[in-house]
Amino acid sequence: MLNQARKEFNIVKGIAPNVSQETLFNNKRKVFLFGSPSYTNIGDQAIAYAEEKFIKNCFPYYEYIEIMDYATEEGIKLVKKIIEADDVVCFTGGGNLGSLYLDIEEDRRKVIESFKDYRTIVFPQSAFFEDTAEGQAEKKKSQDAYNKNPNLTLVARENQTLKILKDTFQANVLYTPDMVLSLSIEPRDLEREGVLFVLRADKEKVTEESFVSDLMNLVGKDNSVERTDTVLSEVEVIDYADRETYFLKTLDKMGSKKLIITDRLHAMIFSIITKTPCLVFGNSYGKAKHSYNDWLHELSFIEYTDNKDLHDIPAIIDRLQKAEPNKIDVKEDFQVLKAFFRG
């Protein structure tokens, strides 16, 4: 069967960029990761990086094979030809399950439906279906697709999503932190200077520009101030080969600052990795807030707030910068995910 697939199929760009083509046709058990991001959101790139490390470090007996998001259709066709009964089909994690990012949701539906006879898992996600006619129509489409797969496991990365997934789908549901928190990265010892604002410019943004401007002026009285986002604008595509470079470059940028102010979940997580004090505001449906409350609230140098009173914020910043960075260990919280792949 494998030799026949090799002859039949022209392997296009984006299929198995992390291994040699011969790997597709060997006799090892395989984990296929669909939805691997080519877009420039470093948070999602970091998730894919962490997923690869997780499988390779914990389960070296699996061959780990990625399919980039732009090769989903061709990837489904190829994997259908070579998949064996004990292989696992995955879809990458993130914050895009639902009606906000329909191109990704449509790909996820296709993958889940296409491999209904195989163990299928969606890595830790935040879920959100808008409470509109359109949002509820998309929810029904996802229910129809997901519920066709009796072998589906969904993983929630906060309690809010755990409830949504259990209430919405018939799948088995697990609960873990975001995959980036499974990484073991020793931060580089960099000289720190200035404050970095890492702020959304997308449909999840709720932080008013007037508040941002006022806060930057306030903080800028005593510090150099810079504004950026975890979605890079200097490149249009990040392929597998460049993922680690851009991710580590982002960590260095954050690790060279005295303070991060953000409304991005992964800017908060990158701050944890680099031991950089971080003040966190919310997005439109609370994924940073809930991740903080569910997993990260014991950290001394990270704080989530809904308080936008400029008189109160300097005291919060002062407290964060004086805190001795502490550690929390969430490694045990990934045991349920390890148990899935051992099964």
Side-chain angles (χ1 to χ4, degrees), residues 20-82:
S20 68
Q21 290 190 4
E22 288 301 306
T23 304
L24 288 164
F25 307 103
N26 67 25
N27 292 317
K28 283 181 74 174
R29 289 177 68 183
K30 295 180 177 64
V31 169
F32 299 100
L33 180 87
F34 283 88
S36 183
S38 63
Y39 49 94
T40 64
N41 184 324
I42 298 299
D44 287 346
Q45 292 289 342
I47 286 171
Y49 180 85
E51 289 161 350
E52 179 179 26
K53 295 290 185 190
F54 179 81
I55 297 297
K56 286 186 171 180
N57 292 340
C58 301
F59 306 99
Y61 51 84
Y62 280 114
E63 203 72 78
Y64 179 79
I65 296 166
E66 293 196 19
I67 291 96
M68 301 299 295
D69 49 10
Y70 55 80
T72 299
E73 298 274 2
E74 297 88 343
I76 289 172
K77 289 175 190 172
L78 175 62
V79 173
K80 276 187 168 182
K81 290 173 189 261
I82 65 174

Side-chain angles (χ1 to χ4, degrees), residues 1-11 78 81:
M1 182 180 179
L2 297 183
N3 285 331
Q4 183 184 355
R6 192 183 324 197
K7 289 173 187 172
E8 284 179 6
F9 210 86
N10 178 32
I11 300 167
L78 175 62
K81 290 173 189 261

Side-chain angles (χ1 to χ4, degrees), residues 253-292:
K253 182 163 189 168
M254 297 200 178
S256 67
K257 300 298 177 182
K258 290 181 180 177
L259 175 71
I260 304 295
I261 295 177
T262 190
D263 57 2
R264 284 274 185 190
L265 169 63
H266 283 100
M268 172 173 68
I269 293 174
F270 298 163
S271 297
I272 295 168
I273 293 172
T274 59
K275 297 183 170 60
T276 307
C278 181
L279 178 58
V280 188
F281 294 98
N283 75 311
S284 61
Y285 64 99
K287 59 191 179 189
K289 177 179 184 176
H290 288 282
S291 286
Y292 175 82

